[in-house]
Amino acid sequence: MVAAGSVPAAFAEDGYELWLRYAPLSEPPRSAPRHVMAACSNPSDTLRAALDEIDRATEAMLGAGLPRTDTLEGGTLVLASPDCSDALTGLPLPPAAKVGTEGFAIREVQHSGRQVTLISAQSDIGVLYGTFDYLLRMARGEELTGVNILSRPKTKLRLLNHWDNLDRHVERGYSGQSIWDWHRLPGYLDPRYTDYARANASIGINGVSLTNVNADATVLTPHYLEKVAALADVFRPYGIKVYLTARFSAPMELDGLPTADPRDPAVRAWWQAKVDEIYTYVPDFGGFLVKANSEGQPGPQDYRRSHAEGANMLARALAPHDGKVMWRAFVYSAEEPEDRVKQAYTEFVPLDGQFADNVLVQVKNGPLDFQPREPFHPLFGAMPETPLMMELQITKEYLGFSTHLAYLGTLWEEVLSAETHAVDERASVASIIDGTAHGYEITGMAGVANIGSDRNWSGSIFDQANWYAFGRLAWDPDASAEAIARDWTELTFSRAPEVADAITQMMMGSREAVVNYMTPLGLTHLMGTGHHYGPAPWVDDLGRADWTPYYYHKATQEAVGFDRTETGSGAVDQYAGPVAQEWASLDTVPDELLLWFHRVGWDHELDNGNTLWQELVRRYDLGVSQVAAMQAVWASLEDEIDADRFEEVSAFLAIQSREAVWWRDASIAYWQSVNGMPLPEGAAPPAHDLAYYKALSFPNAPGQGE
């Protein structure tokens, strides 16, 4: 139990301020600035945004905003860049070689005999990033005396991907409607758009694709481009470019062309004209995100052309404007494959080196589909001549929607730190993404957003942490998930060490709890059909086998699991030698990936001495008990958290607890119906029979595709 009164009295909050709460400090830091100035007479809109943020933050934390000054005084917080330094000559700006175009320096310096804190960069957006870094350090209670910070992003494109439709439905969204109110745009600019931009800039996100990858060509029409331009104008001061999802068949749907063949001159001309038109509305338009020949979406393969030919057609149109194409590698064919997880590698590796210089291939973290646990995608390290941009899913399509506490920083760190052995044993996935392993000229990370019209933005307070963690890891893919969780906790809930410790530890174990009660030991894709809500490992009667949970475990009375070794699909051989060897052997494969790569008997003995069946039931029980432990920790914090947020999290943890038991019981009931085995000694039987769980139906579960 954390002692009551260890933090200042809590006050009512609703989550709208995210991690930018700027909670009052009990006493000003010794190094708190006394004034603020921009080192130029006419600051840009970006620097004005930085100054406004300083006003907002210092008024909240210190009780009064910093007075702005035009003359340098001791204790001044100074903002400076090459475009903003005319008012103070001789400022020591950081060299471009160290900070690039977006990085920043925060240092105490002597200038004209006065001690000042200088936030400087090679661009105004770098100064804005530095300003947020400085303010958030202050908000966490850091002492900034003698501060000396140098930071630059390791990736160039750091995007949120919104799967938002024009009717405001959000595919795989669990936090209300889309925040883009297309009907009222461009005439009405919701203040949320500015706050959205502030939040993104505070964690270094510099791009947003506005529309669903299951694209609607309507967004490319002038009527909608006016609306896109209005959003771009709001985002521009915060360094955020807008991108759109391009529907490959748009020339046919919008202007009646008979084909969308990328080799057809009329099609190429159409796209060139359309791109040129977009840039008249949005001069700094970022480019296109494309889903093609996947889940029924049109694409170049409809005309027997390759993904490279399709991407390069769009790239040629964008290149004169410095636009980019992000071509998704999430593909599977109309024909049922031997093993669905092999298809992206099979299709894209032969195309390595064939993509235009302004194309990135956007690859999910794992080879299937954002599961609670997957091995890293084998494409990472397999395409040295093609920039690969990692796609993560911030929204929790497969991890309990917005009511299950699942901090995804640990999932993403697990993937990013994995060694690919593609170049040498130190070639982590992070080194592929940030370009160091293969020398990529353009790099990036994308996150499928969990943002909607709910007042708290993400559907739950703890889901805000995943948005925050994505931005931090996109800036630095080698960052620590635990350090990120603690920073977020201190900004969101409390600086008190006992409170921050307790919440951080809850978060760090939360994703593993979900794995245990949903998909332990390498099981995968066991969720309900379509909506992906709840357990349904028994489903085996959909339109094609690889849409069904049964396809991924193939359980019989004798065995369970998907053989991806040389005796099965051979998918393990898509990984570099040392990785393939480790995972192909029953002696060395981690238990966490056992049933992903191997088919074994229910009596197969694991290293801990348990049989597979015993360990499977133990993991289900462990997941349930881990949620109960989170509930107990959270209950102990009642006196430390404001009532509104405490009660909401408590209610969601109660939902998670009930649904963890449901997952455990339904899964065990099904496995017993297949293997006919008694429960291990001491294990409780499911609350209901299998027929009960099979009869449950959720036709209106949120987030489904339309």
Side-chain angles (χ1 to χ4, degrees), residues 628-646:
M630 289 195 293
Q631 288 181 285
V633 170
W634 187 253
S636 75
L637 301 174
E638 183 172 8
D639 293 336
E640 314 301 326
I641 308 295
D642 58 282
D644 289 349
R645 293 189 300 169
F646 178 81

Side-chain angles (χ1 to χ4, degrees), residues 272 275-276 315-323 358:
Q272 186 63 70
V275 166
D276 292 344
R316 277 191 294 270
L318 289 162
H321 307 279
D322 196 32
N358 57 331

Side-chain angles (χ1 to χ4, degrees), residues 435-453:
T436 57
H438 296 310
Y440 296 156
E441 289 296 320
I442 50 174
T443 55
M445 286 179 63
V448 181
N450 64 355
I451 298 160
S453 60

Side-chain angles (χ1 to χ4, degrees), residues 382-413:
M383 298 186 69
E385 303 300 322
T386 305
L388 300 183
M389 181 175 184
M390 179 175 280
E391 178 178 311
L392 304 172
Q393 192 178 50
I394 307 170
T395 190
K396 304 200 313 291
E397 176 182 356
Y398 293 101
L399 289 97
F401 298 3
S402 63
T403 52
H404 289 214
L405 198 168
Y407 171 55
L408 302 183
T410 55
L411 187 163
W412 301 335
E413 182 180 49

Side-chain angles (χ1 to χ4, degrees), residues 500-514:
D501 287 347
I503 295 175
T504 300
Q505 290 311 305
M506 277 178 59
M507 294 170 66
M508 290 301 293
S510 60
R511 174 262 184 154
E512 200 64 37
V514 174

